[in-house]
Amino acid sequence: MHTIDLDLKTKFIRGFSDKTRLQIVNILKSGEKTVSQIVEAVQGNQSNISQHLACLKGCGIIVGRQEGKYIYYALRNEQILSLIQLLDEVYEQVQNEMMACDNPIME
C-alpha cells in the first residue's frame, strides 16, 4: 500500500475523532439538517460548528447543498451511514475493554 493511501485514510478516520464531529455525524444519521439545526442540537456556537462541518466535508464524510440562504448538510451516502452504524455496533462489543484501557496513547 502506498504511503499516500495511508495518509488519506488517516485523514478520513481523523474526521471521526472529535466529540463534536461525532455529535454532528450522529445528528445527520436521521437526515439532512441546516447549520442552525445542528448548532441547536449540539448546543455549540455557530463558528465552532462551522469549522467542524468544514472538516467533515473536507474528509468526505458529509456533503452540503445550498437552498436559498440555507445550507443543508447530510451524510455523503449510504456507505457512510453503514460505516457509522458498524462503528456503533463494534463499540457496543468493545466498550468494556475501552473503559478499562489506561494506555495514555489512546487519550
Side-chain angles (χ1 to χ4, degrees):
M1 183 172 292
H2 301 232
T3 304
I4 188 96
D5 293 340
L6 287 178
D7 290 342
L8 288 174
K9 283 183 181 182
T10 301
K11 183 177 181 179
F12 175 73
I13 292 168
R14 199 171 287 137
F16 294 102
S17 69
D18 177 88
K19 181 180 178 179
T20 301
R21 290 194 294 273
L22 281 178
Q23 287 177 300
I24 293 169
V25 166
N26 280 320
I27 291 163
L28 295 177
K29 287 193 307 189
S30 63
E32 69 178 12
K33 304 281 186 281
T34 64
V35 175
S36 299
Q37 291 171 316
I38 295 168
V39 168
E40 183 179 324
V42 173
Q43 298 181 343
N45 68 59
Q46 175 122 12
S47 175
N48 183 266
I49 298 303
S50 292
Q51 289 177 358
H52 286 292
L53 288 168
C55 176
L56 289 166
K57 193 173 177 187
C59 290
I61 297 168
I62 66 171
V63 293
R65 69 173 180 88
Q66 186 147 5
E67 186 175 304
K69 66 178 186 170
Y70 297 102
I71 299 177
Y72 291 84
Y73 289 94
L75 298 177
R76 172 168 292 282
N77 53 36
E78 286 296 317
Q79 287 85 4
I80 295 289
L81 178 59
S82 295
L83 176 61
I84 294 163
Q85 291 169 336
L86 181 59
L87 287 172
D88 289 344
E89 291 172 20
V90 171
Y91 170 73
E92 288 294 322
Q93 296 171 10
V94 300
Q95 65 181 328
N96 289 334
E97 289 89 345
M98 291 177 61
M99 290 187 323
C101 179
D102 59 0
N103 189 332
I105 196 165
M106 297 301 290
E107 295 186 21

